Amino acid sequence: QVQLQESGPGLVKPSETLSLTCTVSGGSLSTYYWNWIRQPPGKGLEWIGYIYSSGSTNYNPSLKSRITISVDTSKNQFSLKLSSVTAADTAVYYCARVHYVSGGALDYWGPGTLVTVSS
Amino acid sequence: DIQMTQSPSALSASVGDSVAITCRASQSISTWLAWYQQKPGKAPKFLIYKASSLESGVPSRFSGSGSGTEFTLTISSLQPDDFATYYCQQHNSYPWTFGQGTKVEIK
């Protein structure tokens, strides 16, 4: 059974860079697309972007100038960096895997981690 | 971006009722639509892909239909475990987008 787990600081100061890592267990990163999604408190879901196991990426244009998603296949991890954060970036951040058959649904999710942007 | 609009935003129903949630896309997405269930403090749970295909392990009382711009998630015979918020998601074009959610509450 594939499991995903987000990790990283729960508090980030405004204008700094948010950094999160997703560790995948029970399966390989190979041949899948790995995503970041976020959910501000009490609000809906926003797709941030994905990385393929080879390293190719696709980002949401609304965040593209501030995002970097990277992968470390040796550690079975992928990571998110979001620069120049503001209070609007406060959210629960989820990592998730793309469902192989559909090519875009998200079948396995981490439990999520709350990141608060505040001084 | 493709806008996904769910209706209603919330509904109240009783155990045993059948409920339907609609998701409309601002342009055609063929059948590239998924449905998720989310409970408070938890990650979304994957229910349906390609508009009508049930993910393995999901109870058969959940069903999906539709194509193009209009889609429906139906839950027949609501169970206590089904009270949650439901989201649709399109993956026809980037950026992938979600509906705003429909909260199913106990009457």
Side-chain angles (χ1 to χ4, degrees), chain B residues 2 7 9 13 20 23 25 34 36 39 44 50 57 60 70 76 78 91 101 103 105:
Chain B
I2 296 177
S7 59
S9 295
C23 177
Y36 305 87
K39 296 182 179 179
K50 284 200 74 180
S60 59
E70 187 155 334
S76 61
L78 266 175
H91 55 93
K103 188 173 185 178
E105 300 174 302

Side-chain angles (χ1 to χ4, degrees), chain A residues 37 44-47 106 109, chain B residues 2-6 36 87-90 96-100:
Chain A
I37 302 99
L45 298 158
E46 179 181 31
W47 177 73
L106 302 164
W109 295 63
Chain B
I2 296 177
Q3 306 301 316
M4 306 300 292
T5 303
Q6 290 181 229
Y36 305 87
Y87 292 94
C88 60
Q89 176 227 340
Q90 68 81 20
W96 296 344
T97 49
F98 294 83
Q100 82 279 13

Side-chain angles (χ1 to χ4, degrees), chain B residues 18-56:
Chain B
S18 177
V19 300
I21 299 168
T22 297
C23 177
R24 289 187 174 88
S26 61
Q27 64 190 74
S28 178
I29 58 169
S30 183
T31 56
W32 300 115
L33 185 99
W35 288 98
Y36 305 87
Q37 175 195 70
Q38 187 178 34
K39 296 182 179 179
K42 301 293 187 182
K45 175 187 175 183
F46 177 43
L47 300 176
I48 286 172
Y49 63 97
K50 284 200 74 180
S52 61
S53 296
L54 203 64
E55 169 65 348
S56 176

